[in-house]
Amino acid sequence: MKALRNYLDKIKPNFEEGGKLAMFRSVFDGFETFLYVPNTTSKSGVHIHDSVDSKRTMTVVIIALIPALLFGMYNTGYQHNLAIGADPGFWMTFIYGFLAVLPKIIVSYVVGLGIEFTIAQFKKEEIQEGFLVSGMLIPMIVPIDTPLWMIALATAFAVVFAKEVFGGTGYNIFNVALVTRAFLFFAYPAAMSGDQVFVRTDSTFGIGGGQVVDAFSGATPLGQVSIATNDMVGSFHMVDTLGNPLTNWDMFLGLIPGSIGETSVLAILLGAVILLVTGIASWKTMVSVFVGGAITALLFNLIGSTVPMTVTPIEHLLLGGFAFGAVFMATDPVTSARTETGKYIYGFLVGAMAIIIRVLNPGYPEGMMLAILLMNTFAPLIDYYVVDSNIKRRLKRAIR
Amino acid sequence: MGLLSNKNKAILVDPLSKNNPVIVQMLGVCSALAVTSKLEPSIVMAISVTAVVAFANVIISLLRNTIPNRIRIIVQLVVVAALVTIVSEVLKAFAYDVNKQLSVFVGLIITNCILMGRLEAFALGNGPWESFLDGVGNGLGYGLILIIIGFFRELLGSGTLLGIQVIPQIFYDLGYVNNGLMILPPMALIVVAVIIWVHRSRNKELQED
């Protein structure tokens, strides 16, 4: 570690004003502050002095994403093996998934960071760290068969139009990773929905070739729900890719088809624990998303006239991107509500809206993405009224 | 001395860039988003609006000294409505398919802010020749933006231009897919925004603080 520090100190003069590599100053600065906490602190005003800056915060979120990511890689391989009826053992399964997911992560980071670095260099600003998390989220919320060029295009679009035009990290109105997904969803619907894209049946880098077994169907549980007809109420069961009925336990563990990082509630909860223990995400937002979703699902159960309405609250919370969105997306400190009361309202409405979209709109089997994006729009309004009512309450007290 | 005096030339050319009705004055954006998913309707719409605004300008300019001030809006609307009806009938007769694609937006030329804006701001105070040039300039300025938007939306959204396949089949075989978002109005708004972005960064005097 000492050697790295010395090396950085040695090459640093090259990047300063007048040095021969001055044009890469912000790139160097970005890497240096990523590796080492800068030893400069603010000299005036009221600030908390500690070693956690936003780069360190982002790193913790990445660590929290690791369980879901690793599980997603394993699940990719697992679903593939189910589809071709092979059983090459744990490590080969994982390696297959790893090789399938890795290019997506690389593409997302190269494109996103490339744009961020270029813009920071161009505007002579520091490189902002917001994309560290977005770049990891993007590959985790797309289906495994999404072509790489689509991810690259969508990432570029989201970074420029959802983030940089608003002023960069911390100023964006919408969650960048979700804008990427929304772009993909509306621009290339065939690659983002249906039962062909969530399980990879081809080989990856020459590994895992084979013939798809007859009983195989790659439909996700929510996809099955959305195409079920009304006369199936009561007799409808969600099934896995081979047609066996799914239990809540299967959905909790997450060995089911779905976007890469979203299937395992268990792995996501591990990440949630990390985020809550370190105090980075707000438990208020997370809990109220789940509460909002459960209550709305319960209300629909009472009506129960179509198959989507009969899906139980537990199933709703376990399936699709609900848990992933609640833990990693809704709690985004930039785009969610910032007032403490506002977090309850914001979270509740995200959960409620996600279930409403799932149940009432057959075109969108999954509503979490649209629900969070919609509530992103309203987060400032919620904050405004929370602050406003607080002021009014206090004014009343003062007059008396 | 050319065909036009310098002043008249400015009247004709300014609306194309420095004083463009869509990207500088922000008028007529609604129809610019609605009709531009393909290039052909964009071009037809551009021609229609140019014709209507040019002739409405001339007629109002000729009448400008006889119109009582209090009812001028009604008079302007009658003139514009008559012209729009003529354009609409011509389109129905000679370009029925495009007319169907444009649907209500031909009729809605009457509510296009550019029209009322030019009549109020220019035709009521200038002679018929200048008014005609102003109308043509503004119509073309509007049309230019429409055609740019229509070009990119059709190229990226459908892979065609004027209905002819432009992106070669080999691209599709290699996995290229048309961008469905380009067909939807939100992307039209973003395309307009990008045009404004490029335009303002080339014309520093248009940048607001």
Side-chain angles (χ1 to χ4, degrees), chain A residues 50-92:
Chain A
D50 73 359
S51 56
V52 176
D53 57 6
S54 55
K55 279 199 179 66
R56 255 41 66 176
T57 311
M58 299 293 176
T59 316
V60 174
V61 181
I62 297 280
I63 293 169
L65 281 166
I66 297 274
L69 179 68
L70 292 180
F71 187 90
M73 288 172 174
Y74 176 73
N75 188 40
T76 301
Y78 179 82
Q79 297 298 331
H80 169 76
N81 289 339
L82 279 187
I84 62 166
D87 185 15
F90 175 84
W91 283 109
M92 281 313 285

Side-chain angles (χ1 to χ4, degrees), chain A residues 147 149-150 153 157 160-161 165 182-183 186-189, chain B residues 174-181 184 187 190 193-194 197:
Chain A
W149 68 268
M150 286 184 190
L153 186 70
F157 174 86
V160 174
F161 287 101
V165 293
F183 179 87
F186 288 107
Y188 308 108
Chain B
L174 288 173
Y176 176 79
V177 184
N178 288 326
N179 188 327
L181 196 56
L184 303 173
M187 206 58 187
I190 290 174
V194 172
W197 185 0

Side-chain angles (χ1 to χ4, degrees), chain B residues 29-149:
Chain B
V29 175
C30 172
S31 57
L33 306 188
V35 302
T36 50
S37 66
K38 290 268 185 333
L39 186 54
E40 193 183 2
S42 312
I43 294 173
V44 173
M45 188 71 179
I47 296 169
S48 311
V49 170
T50 308
V52 173
V53 73
F55 288 108
N57 259 1
V58 173
I59 295 170
I60 293 296
S61 173
L62 289 170
L63 295 174
R64 69 184 189 279
N65 296 325
T66 54
I67 303 172
N69 202 29
R70 279 189 298 175
I71 59 159
R72 67 183 195 284
I73 301 281
I74 298 174
V75 176
Q76 288 164 10
L77 279 178
V78 170
V79 170
V80 176
L83 288 166
V84 168
T85 311
I86 293 169
V87 167
S88 171
E89 293 301 318
V90 169
L91 284 182
K92 269 183 198 150
F94 298 105
Y96 188 65
D97 288 340
V98 180
N99 186 58
K100 264 168 78 181
Q101 283 183 48
L102 289 172
S103 66
V104 295
F105 289 97
V106 176
L108 284 180
I109 293 176
I110 191 172
T111 61
N112 196 319
C113 329
I114 297 170
L115 273 156
M116 297 306 281
R118 290 337 291 171
L119 296 180
E120 281 282 299
F122 198 89
L124 282 175
N126 289 282
W129 176 235
E130 287 85 3
S131 297
F132 179 75
L133 291 178
D134 179 76
V136 171
N138 276 283
L140 290 179
Y142 169 82
L144 183 70
I145 301 302
L146 246 67
I147 289 168
I148 296 174
I149 304 170

Side-chain angles (χ1 to χ4, degrees), chain A residues 37-42 47-54 56-57 278:
Chain A
V37 181
N39 56 7
T40 50
T41 51
S42 51
H47 297 289
I48 297 170
H49 290 228
D50 73 359
S51 56
V52 176
D53 57 6
S54 55
R56 255 41 66 176
T57 311
T278 52

Side-chain angles (χ1 to χ4, degrees), chain A residues 332-345:
Chain A
D332 175 358
V334 178
T335 56
S336 75
R338 297 186 189 193
T339 50
E340 296 303 308
T341 320
K343 282 175 184 166
Y344 289 117
I345 303 171

